[in-house]
């Protein structure tokens, strides 16, 4: 069982607010990922990290930013939330020694009014 | 670039019937292949994975998948559906280039009828 946590699970905020979605894992995985998932759609990679102080943008353009100061922590920040940011955000981590199998957190469902 | 196609966004089966969820990928090089299940308001849970060992892969909850290189397919099956199998299922491919990025299919929502 993977140990990867996301908070909050649900968030409803107003336009223009700054928010941070938290993601932590206790497995010591080097690689971490953020996906955006809309209903009925595939997951889109928006950010990933191969280790501390390493972050890259994913395949889907996103106005969010990420940081990786500690191995276990990979927060995602939106400086000014807009209704178009309404979505589910999933965090995952993987260990190259396990065929890069990705383990997912429970997700954060964000609604921007 | 890799792509993954899941045929059928919605599949309905009767309880006790065979479950078949289809997944095709585009690549001449066998990648890593995965099936994940997602229950409402939850993250994705790994069902099974193919990593170039046995072509028939057994997973959790009675699911299995067969890798067929000639058909570039990795279909998911379960002999007898249970009500608790109702969920969304995603097929994913890990790029063989070492980037560790996944390409996901659009998902198939499985409905199990009593």
């Amino acid at each position: 069982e993977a140990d990867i946590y996301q908070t909050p699970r649900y968030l409803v905020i107003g336009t223009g607010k700054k928010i941070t979605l938290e993601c932590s894992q206790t497995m010591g995985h080097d690689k971490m990922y953020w996906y955006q998932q809309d209903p009925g759609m595939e997951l889109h990679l928006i950010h990933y990290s191969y280790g501390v102080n390493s972050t890259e943008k994913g395949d889907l353009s996103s106005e969010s930013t990420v940081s990786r100061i500690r191995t276990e922590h990979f927060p995602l920040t939106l400086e000014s939330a807009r209704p178009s940011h309404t979505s589910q955000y999933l965090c995952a981590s993987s260990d190259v020694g396990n065929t890069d199998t990705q383990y997912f957190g429970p997700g954060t469902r964000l609604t921007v009014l | 670039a890799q792509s993954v196609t899941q045929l059928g966004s919605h599949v309905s089966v009767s309880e006790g019937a065979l479950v078949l969820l289809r997944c095709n990928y585009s690549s001449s090089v066998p990648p890593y292949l995965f099936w994940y299940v997602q229950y409402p308001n939850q993250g994705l849970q790994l069902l099974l994975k193919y990593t170039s060992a046995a072509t028939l892969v057994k997973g959790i909850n009675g699911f299995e998948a067969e890798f067929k290189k000639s058909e570039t397919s990795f279909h998911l099956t379960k002999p007898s559906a249970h009500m608790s199998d109702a969920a969304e299922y995603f097929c994913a491919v890990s790029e063989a280039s070492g980037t560790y990025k996944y390409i996901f299919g659009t998902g198939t929502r499985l409905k199990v009828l009593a």
Side-chain angles (χ1 to χ4, degrees):
Chain A
E1 189 72 26
D3 295 319
I4 181 164
Y5 309 97
Q6 290 185 245
T7 58
R9 290 294 316 279
Y10 303 92
L11 180 61
V12 181
I13 60 168
T15 297
K17 299 292 185 182
K18 177 180 178 179
I19 61 167
T20 297
L21 306 184
E22 301 288 348
C23 176
S24 295
Q25 50 97 4
T26 58
M27 297 169 285
H29 288 171
D30 286 330
K31 299 172 186 58
M32 296 189 73
Y33 313 82
W34 276 104
Y35 291 89
Q36 187 172 337
Q37 183 186 27
D38 294 313
M41 304 291 287
E42 67 266 47
L43 280 71
H44 291 287
L45 181 67
I46 51 175
H47 296 284
Y48 60 100
S49 168
Y50 287 168
V52 171
N53 295 324
S54 155
T55 62
E56 301 285 345
K57 288 189 179 295
D59 302 320
L60 180 68
S61 175
S62 173
E63 295 166 343
S64 58
T65 59
V66 293
S67 63
R68 190 87 183 276
I69 299 173
R70 303 197 315 267
T71 297
E72 63 272 20
H73 194 214
F74 191 41
L76 180 146
T77 297
L78 278 166
E79 290 294 332
S80 179
R82 294 206 295 270
S84 60
H85 297 140
T86 295
S87 188
Q88 168 140 284
Y89 293 84
L90 292 169
C91 181
S93 70
S94 70
D95 180 0
V96 69
N98 191 19
T99 63
D100 291 310
T101 301
Q102 292 187 18
Y103 297 94
F104 285 78
T108 293
R109 184 167 295 280
L110 173 65
T111 302
V112 184
L113 304 176
Chain B
Q2 288 274 7
S3 67
V4 176
T5 301
Q6 289 185 242
L7 286 176
S9 58
H10 291 82
V11 171
S12 293
V13 300
S14 298
E15 191 174 19
L18 171 71
V19 176
L20 171 60
L21 305 182
R22 300 176 187 274
C23 173
N24 288 87
Y25 65 95
S26 65
S27 173
S28 60
V29 178
Y32 295 153
L33 290 149
F34 306 84
W35 274 100
Y36 285 86
V37 61
Q38 185 179 33
Y39 298 100
N41 299 315
Q42 294 187 27
L44 275 66
Q45 180 183 2
L46 180 69
L47 274 177
L48 50 79
K49 60 184 177 184
Y50 168 76
T51 59
S52 73
T55 57
L56 182 62
V57 182
K58 293 189 182 299
I60 63 171
N61 302 338
F63 284 94
E64 62 181 36
E66 185 172 8
F67 171 72
K68 292 187 177 180
K69 181 180 177 181
S70 61
E71 299 177 7
T72 60
S73 70
F74 190 55
H75 301 332
L76 181 71
T77 60
K78 181 174 180 178
S80 177
H82 192 273
M83 297 298 287
S84 61
D85 294 327
E88 184 122 25
Y89 292 81
F90 290 92
C91 180
V93 172
S94 175
E95 294 194 340
S97 62
T99 62
Y100 314 118
K101 293 193 290 182
Y102 280 17
I103 306 299
F104 280 90
T106 53
T108 297
R109 184 168 297 278
L110 175 66
K111 186 175 182 179
V112 181
L113 307 172

